[in-house]
Amino acid sequence: MLIADAARSTGATPRALRWYEQYGLISPRRTVGGYRVYDSSDLRRVRHIRELLELGFTLEQLRDYSDLLDRDVPADFSAADSPRCRVALEQARRRLAEIDDRMARIAADRARLAARLGR
């Protein structure tokens, strides 16, 4: 499947697919004419990349674990079965702490604003 179809199939954009390729996260085959061709394993990998990005991982972090991207994203990160998975688990914990801190700041900002509005 060509890039536009692959993008549609995964919910990504063609630009994102090119970016993932540039980061070394995917390696689609090329036609004689130079067109990228994506197979089902590429699409699955892109879905995993997108899921991890939505969880707050960065492309740089994913590049460190590119060999793990063919696995399903675990429902429970604490079941890490390798040292590299454990490092990813620690990164996920740090990301969760960052989100918690941001949410606390937003809640405090909201409370101050609500108080000024008489709520």
Side-chain angles (χ1 to χ4, degrees), residues 31-104:
T31 67
V32 175
Y35 291 100
R36 292 169 177 86
V37 178
Y38 298 84
D39 61 24
S40 60
S41 65
D42 295 319
L43 302 180
R44 179 181 168 147
R45 194 172 175 97
V46 168
R47 288 185 190 101
H48 294 165
I49 290 166
R50 291 180 47 78
E51 184 176 354
L52 290 165
L53 290 172
E54 288 172 7
L55 290 172
F57 285 86
T58 65
L59 288 174
E60 290 82 11
Q61 290 168 329
L62 295 183
R63 185 175 15 196
D64 293 338
Y65 310 108
S66 64
D67 60 317
L68 300 176
L69 294 174
D70 293 320
R71 296 182 183 184
D72 288 335
V73 177
D76 179 0
F77 283 141
S78 66
D81 63 352
S82 75
R84 291 175 57 126
C85 288
R86 286 189 287 279
V87 172
L89 173 62
E90 287 307 312
Q91 288 177 337
R93 287 182 177 143
R94 281 194 302 275
R95 179 65 179 138
L96 182 60
E98 291 168 4
I99 291 169
D100 288 343
D101 289 345
R102 188 179 322 153
M103 288 176 62

